[in-house]
Amino acid sequence: MQTSSDVTPADQRTSLTLSTLAFTVCFAVWTIFSIIGIRIRQDLGLTDTQFGLLIGTPILTGSLIRVALGIWTDLYGGRVVFTLTMLAAAVATFLLTYAGTYPQFLLAALGVGIAGGSFAVGVAYVSRWYPAEKQGTALGIFGAGNVGAAVTKFLAPFVLVAFGWQMVAQVWAAALVVMALIFFAFTKDDPVLVERRRLKIRPKSAWLELEPLKNVQVWRFSLYYFFVFGAFVALALWLPQYLVKVYGLDIKTAGMIAAFFSVPASIFRAYGGHLSDVYGARRVMYWTFLVAVAATFVLSYPPTDYVVRGINGPIAFHMEMGVVGFTVAVFVLGFFMALGKAAVYKHIPVYYPKNVGAVGGLVGMIGGLGGFVLPLMFGVLNDLTGLWTSCFMLLFVIAVMALTWMHLSIRQMEKEASGDVLKALPELPEMQGLAPVPPAPLPAKAKARGAVLVDWRPEDPAFWQTTGRSIARRNLWLSIPALLLSFAIWQVWSVVVAKLPLVGFRFTTEELFWLAALPGLTGATLRIFYSFMVPIFGGRLWTTLTTWSLIIPALGIGYAVQNPDTPYVVLLILALLCGFGGGNFASSMANISFFFPKKEKGNALALNAGLGNLGVSVVQFVVPLVITLGLFGGLGGDPALVKTAAGPAPVWLQNAGFVFVPFIALSAFAAWFGMNDIASAKASFREQSVIFQRKHNWIMCWLYTGTFGSFIGYSAGFPLLTNILFPDVNALQYAFLGPLVGALARSGTGWLADRYGGGRVTLYVFLLSMAGVSGVLWSIGMRAEPWAFSTFFGSFLVLFFATGVGNASTFQMIPAIMAKEMERLLPNADAETRRRQAEKEAAAITGFTSAIAAFGAFFIPKGYGTSIALTGSPEAALWAFLIFYVSCLLITFAVYTRKGGLLHDIERGITPRAIPRPATAA
């Protein structure tokens, strides 16, 4: 990157962010015919070939114009060229609404295609803001603007159905104008252009910009991009029609499933750039083409009837890919296409830094032409063969050709080079003719073997600042969504049980409380085992596997609740399986604890747990909304009609499980490809089992049950308890607020424990919890009063807030306790040995205490049910909870916070005075 000295990180972030947003809007416009084209086809009565030409025409313009726009960006700067491109495309898109005949639509489509040329502008503009070692990631993030195709598929069908296709074009044109004005107002000219103006250097001739195009390697990159991008665009345009015709779906459902291909094929482009920076673009391209060959082969197989001559006569069977299998297959194909798109563009700024616009424009043009040629070929093949799967047969052939050409070229170059010459070759050895560039010295960083960090020193300030913090934060922010989904699945029954009677299930109050309580039982039990798994298997693998496991209960609930005749035992089994989500907390917290230094561990664990706890609030907020919508069309099953004040209304209770499935898959992929294992964190179960001999392990189990056990138990039982005590109140409107307050309190107050000490904060937490339970008891006794529910609800919010703060403070105590204990347990060990042993034991105790505390998710709802069954009121259970909080308060004070307690001096920053030694005789 040729930059001026005035470039700041803020300038880089602004240019990348606004360029990505602008490209997203442009891409949404560029693929607009994938939705409005279906209505236009119906109006004009077009054939498959004519339809393919119509949706491909914008792609043709957007492809051909890329070379010119790329050159103009090199000459005049991306800020001006990008703005003018968006404005020109906006005018053409608006004029589209005046077309009436097929030729007029084709002419208008040529103008709409200008939006697609923005890619070449953005690549040249963004690459000039970043050094070579970061360009892969930056361009990957920019390329994620492909998600504009999914934006069109999600939103355009609703606008089209409500207002007509003309309104879609007008709204999309207006969005382009607004984005153009924002882009021009808030971005700056790129540093290369600024430096050129400062030195008064005239731009070179446009013809010289084309000189690198004579290299055959550039054309080979173009073939790769023809598949990974051209086929992506072609399928983005073709899939809605494919789904409508093959599976008989309506346009809304088809658009949503097509978006299931477009979204991963777009957003994971950013991750593909990261992988290309870390592992090399060649390796990423191999992954891409190998998976693409397999996926397109499976998708190519047409519906077929077989007759086998068996011993007892003919055996007939039918083979056909259903819509679910199709959706999964195109999701996988789209994901690896996204990686491949980033890998191709990783090379261009590295090997052609002075001609990014021209080379990027040519590669983008060839790729874009794939988006024009392939839909047309799809239509022709349909007309010729009569097979809808013929489009995937064509893609299979192209993927095989690209993989073969790439592999043969690489092998040929490796045969011609050996020794030091081979080691000095660029990432892709087939880039012959380019002088190898000696690698720049790398900064001090964590040594790694693949995803395993073999040198991890978070307590070393220099290491932490240069390398450790960024790796730790990446693992934290990938862990949080996985944990959030785990909590959502764990607590989904807290909402579902309240709706089961409405859709025809006939269960007693006691049976409903069992369904709400059982996930807590299995979740807590699994935590006991999960807390030891990270040091055995590694956090990356274990997080991936446990996240995938959430799909089992999510799909099971989706299918089971559609039939009121489903046996109660099946629902009990599904409730038990939801405990997979509860178990994940123990391993997640143990894993994150290894990544951060002691001074930041409290806040990191608070963020992981607190934002993960939001899953409880998310499920109680989202599920009541999604069950009123037919999100998945025919794929999601029929709704149940329930009685409301306004009359019968449809309810899709199955959405309570189905809605989380795509997010679980995305999170599992992100965990596998983005997280790390720490070699020093490896330990067997036998090594970790020493915690069972530590008295503080059992004390913290008791205290954490008072905080997290209360949080999760109240979350599970609150909706049903409110329904029983206040039947006139729609509890599900308010239920999510309690877990939300608790989760935000946990994530937002971790710094309190880091600053003032976990023990002191925990002491006040239990005082607040006692006050909250007292308020609940008082409101229940006065529930005939009009203000009773407000007092009841407010007291529970106090309880949720207290549990959230306590969740963070108790977990901050554990590392401090074990660090102090190591001085007593390992008096002769060096400081580093003590630190590592303290970390291992603290991680195991963190997981184990969370396991024991999670039984609160079972005992609190079950306590309510038992108390109501025996006494007719939940008050007996609440009095038991109050007594329990008193015991927690006394234990915290006696063991940890009183003068002479284990944490008293540590939390007050008191340095123990040295004990004077008696004088000895000389």
Side-chain angles (χ1 to χ4, degrees):
M1 178 186 70
Q2 306 170 32
T3 64
S4 68
S5 58
D6 298 329
V7 175
T8 66
D11 291 336
Q12 293 175 322
R13 287 194 297 270
T14 300
S15 64
L16 178 58
T17 300
L18 290 180
S19 296
T20 304
L21 289 174
F23 182 50
T24 301
V25 176
C26 287
F27 212 93
V29 172
W30 199 31
T31 57
I32 193 173
F33 277 97
S34 65
I35 299 299
I36 69 172
I38 295 176
R39 182 61 56 85
I40 294 170
R41 174 183 181 168
Q42 294 172 353
D43 293 342
L44 300 181
L46 305 180
T47 65
D48 283 340
T49 303
Q50 289 175 319
F51 177 72
L53 179 61
L54 176 63
I55 64 176
T57 297
I59 312 305
L60 176 64
T61 310
S63 305
L64 295 177
I65 202 174
R66 287 185 174 189
V67 175
L69 288 177
I71 293 173
W72 291 342
T73 302
D74 283 341
L75 298 178
Y76 306 113
R79 179 168 172 252
V80 172
V81 177
F82 213 147
T83 302
L84 294 176
T85 300
M86 285 188 280
L87 292 175
V91 172
T93 304
F94 183 79
L95 292 177
L96 171 66
T97 58
Y98 294 95
T101 65
Y102 184 62
Q104 289 174 346
F105 277 111
L106 291 178
L107 182 62
L110 287 171
V112 172
I114 295 173
S118 60
F119 178 72
V121 183
V123 167
Y125 179 68
V126 170
S127 66
R128 288 180 170 182
W129 289 96
Y130 289 88
E133 65 272 14
K134 294 183 179 180
Q135 285 173 343
T137 301
L139 292 178
I141 293 172
F142 167 73
N146 290 166
V147 77
V151 172
T152 290
K153 290 179 178 61
F154 272 123
L155 301 181
F158 295 96
V159 179
L160 183 148
V161 172
F163 304 104
W165 69 263
Q166 292 88 348
M167 181 60 72
V168 178
Q170 292 170 2
V171 171
W172 268 231
L176 270 177
V177 173
V178 172
M179 190 67 242
L181 296 177
I182 293 174
F183 183 84
F184 188 77
F186 293 100
T187 57
K188 298 179 180 180
D189 288 325
D190 64 75
V192 174
L193 183 64
V194 171
E195 190 72 5
R196 201 163 60 200
R197 287 173 178 170
R198 186 180 70 82
L199 299 175
K200 298 181 179 179
I201 299 174
R202 295 182 61 186
K204 61 185 179 179
S205 167
W207 293 108
L208 294 178
E209 291 281 349
L210 299 174
E211 185 177 3
L213 305 188
K214 66 184 181 182
N215 288 318
V216 69
Q217 295 88 353
V218 174
W219 296 93
R220 192 175 302 128
F221 293 158
S222 298
L223 172 66
Y224 304 160
Y225 206 61
F226 183 87
F227 179 80
V228 294
F229 178 75
F232 158 70
V233 174
L235 288 176
L237 296 169
W238 191 256
L239 282 180
Q241 146 128 324
Y242 184 96
L243 291 162
V244 169
K245 295 292 186 179
V246 175
Y247 295 107
L249 305 179
D250 60 76
I251 184 62
K252 292 181 181 179
T253 306
M256 185 166 296
I257 295 179
F260 205 61
F261 164 76
S262 302
V263 169
S266 304
I267 60 175
F268 282 106
R269 184 167 183 162
Y271 189 64
H274 168 72
L275 289 177
S276 298
D277 284 340
V278 175
Y279 299 107
R282 182 178 70 181
R283 185 177 298 177
V284 176
M285 290 307 303
Y286 267 118
W287 293 345
T288 297
F289 285 131
L290 287 171
V291 174
V293 167
T296 52
F297 178 80
V298 171
L299 291 165
S300 297
Y301 210 83
T304 308
D305 292 303
Y306 289 92
V307 178
V308 178
R309 295 181 180 177
I311 297 174
N312 299 318
I315 302 173
F317 59 94
H318 178 74
M319 288 187 63
E320 181 178 1
M321 178 173 284
V323 68
V324 175
F326 180 85
T327 304
V328 172
V330 296
F331 174 89
V332 173
L333 179 62
F335 173 80
F336 281 92
M337 279 181 165
L339 303 186
K341 284 185 283 189
V344 172
Y345 266 86
K346 161 67 178 176
H347 301 89
I348 295 172
V350 174
Y351 296 107
Y352 303 98
K354 297 180 180 180
N355 305 94
V356 174
V359 176
L362 175 73
V363 174
M365 181 190 76
I366 300 299
L369 284 175
F372 166 72
V373 173
L374 289 175
L376 187 59
M377 291 300 300
F378 293 166
V380 171
L381 287 173
N382 265 15
D383 290 338
L384 292 177
T385 67
L387 294 175
W388 275 102
T389 59
S390 58
C391 58
F392 294 107
M393 296 177 185
L394 176 61
L395 295 182
F396 171 77
V397 172
I398 297 172
V400 170
M401 290 173 56
L403 175 63
T404 303
W405 192 4
M406 182 180 75
H407 183 68
L408 292 177
S409 299
I410 292 171
R411 296 300 298 161
Q412 180 63 31
M413 281 304 302
E414 288 176 344
K415 289 179 181 178
E416 295 176 0
S418 60
D420 295 336
V421 176
L422 179 60
K423 294 179 181 178
L425 283 172
E427 275 183 345
L428 291 182
E430 77 268 27
M431 297 292 289
Q432 54 185 325
L434 297 177
V437 180
L442 295 175
K445 59 165 58 177
K447 297 177 182 177
R449 291 195 301 264
V452 180
L453 302 172
V454 297
D455 178 22
W456 187 249
R457 294 170 280 114
E459 301 294 346
D460 181 345
F463 176 89
W464 181 249
Q465 291 296 329
T466 57
T467 300
R469 176 179 279 120
S470 61
I471 295 175
R473 285 181 176 176
R474 184 185 72 241
N475 280 269
L476 173 63
W477 292 111
L478 289 174
S479 172
I480 286 171
L483 187 55
L484 185 148
L485 289 166
S486 297
F487 271 93
I489 295 300
W490 193 24
Q491 292 300 302
V492 70
W493 278 104
S494 68
V495 182
V496 172
V497 291
K499 293 292 185 181
L500 287 177
L502 294 178
V503 297
F505 288 87
R506 297 290 177 260
F507 299 133
T508 65
T509 299
E510 181 74 1
E511 287 174 326
L512 292 176
F513 269 117
W514 268 107
L515 288 175
L518 279 180
L521 182 63
T522 51
T525 305
L526 287 175
R527 284 187 180 197
I528 297 174
F529 302 99
Y530 280 26
S531 59
F532 301 102
M533 293 298 105
V534 168
I536 296 174
F537 293 100
R540 172 173 168 260
L541 174 61
W542 192 250
T543 302
T544 303
L545 292 177
T546 53
T547 303
W548 275 121
S549 72
L550 303 176
I551 280 187
I552 300 172
L555 289 174
I557 290 172
Y559 288 114
V561 299
Q562 294 184 53
N563 184 3
D565 295 326
T566 300
Y568 182 66
V569 67
V570 173
L571 299 183
L572 288 177
I573 292 172
L574 289 171
L576 289 169
L577 291 175
C578 283
F580 285 148
N584 290 0
F585 180 82
S587 54
S588 178
M589 295 298 283
N591 181 45
I592 293 302
S593 70
F594 285 111
F595 282 94
F596 287 84
K598 185 167 60 178
K599 66 179 182 179
E600 297 186 30
K601 205 180 290 286
N603 194 48
L605 292 175
L607 284 172
N608 188 55
L611 297 180
N613 289 168
L614 275 177
V616 181
S617 185
V618 166
V619 79
Q620 293 182 351
F621 177 76
V622 170
V623 169
L625 294 179
V626 299
I627 63 177
T628 64
L629 304 171
L631 289 179
F632 304 102
L635 180 64
D638 297 326
L641 291 178
V642 302
K643 295 180 180 179
T644 66
V651 169
W652 289 266
L653 190 57
Q654 59 266 36
N655 288 354
F658 289 155
V659 72
F660 295 106
V661 170
F663 299 101
I664 291 170
L666 287 173
S667 182
F669 276 118
W672 178 251
F673 289 102
M675 296 186 76
N676 297 97
D677 295 322
I678 299 175
S680 61
K682 291 290 185 180
S684 66
F685 175 79
R686 184 175 181 180
E687 292 174 297
Q688 298 175 78
S689 63
V690 69
I691 67 169
F692 298 125
Q693 304 172 26
R694 310 295 190 218
K695 68 176 183 178
H696 294 288
N697 174 50
W698 302 105
I699 294 173
M700 291 310 300
C701 285
W702 189 264
L703 299 184
Y704 195 56
T705 300
T707 58
F708 179 77
S710 299
F711 168 81
I712 202 65
Y714 292 145
S715 299
F718 179 70
L720 195 54
L721 179 66
T722 308
N723 270 348
I724 293 171
L725 295 177
F726 301 93
D728 296 332
V729 177
N730 185 357
L732 292 182
Q733 288 185 336
Y734 309 100
F736 76 95
L737 289 173
L740 177 64
V741 168
L744 293 179
R746 181 171 193 163
S747 58
T749 61
W751 62 273
L752 281 173
D754 284 337
R755 182 171 181 179
Y756 299 107
R760 285 194 284 178
V761 174
T762 301
L763 200 67
Y764 289 104
V765 161
F766 289 126
L767 284 172
L768 193 59
S769 298
M770 292 162 58
V773 173
S774 300
V776 173
L777 282 167
W778 184 56
S779 64
I780 292 176
M782 308 291 289
R783 67 175 179 270
E785 300 295 332
W787 43 261
F789 175 73
S790 298
T791 305
F792 173 85
F793 186 65
S795 299
F796 259 111
L797 289 184
V798 170
L799 274 171
F800 276 111
F801 176 78
T803 61
V805 178
N807 288 340
S809 62
T810 47
F811 265 13
Q812 193 276 346
M813 293 170 65
I814 294 173
I817 291 169
M818 296 317 298
K820 181 70 174 177
E821 280 288 272
M822 286 306 128
E823 298 176 7
R824 179 180 65 86
L825 296 169
L826 302 174
N828 299 322
D830 58 70
E832 179 62 19
T833 301
R834 289 179 184 173
R835 181 191 70 79
R836 290 189 177 182
Q837 185 62 25
E839 282 194 349
K840 287 181 181 180
E841 292 194 24
I845 291 174
T846 296
F848 186 74
T849 54
S850 74
I852 300 301
F855 282 105
F858 170 75
F859 285 112
I860 288 181
K862 192 66 182 68
Y864 290 151
T866 302
S867 179
I868 292 172
L870 295 177
T871 68
S873 170
E875 291 178 272
L878 289 163
W879 277 109
F881 302 157
L882 179 60
I883 295 170
F884 176 71
Y885 292 140
V886 172
S887 73
C888 292
L889 177 74
L890 296 176
I891 291 172
T892 304
F893 176 76
V895 180
Y896 298 115
T897 63
R898 66 175 177 83
K899 190 172 183 178
L902 188 68
L903 298 178
H904 180 274
D905 291 350
I906 296 174
E907 295 186 348
R908 289 161 177 78
I910 300 174
T911 304
R913 289 178 292 182
I915 301 175
R917 295 184 179 182
T920 55

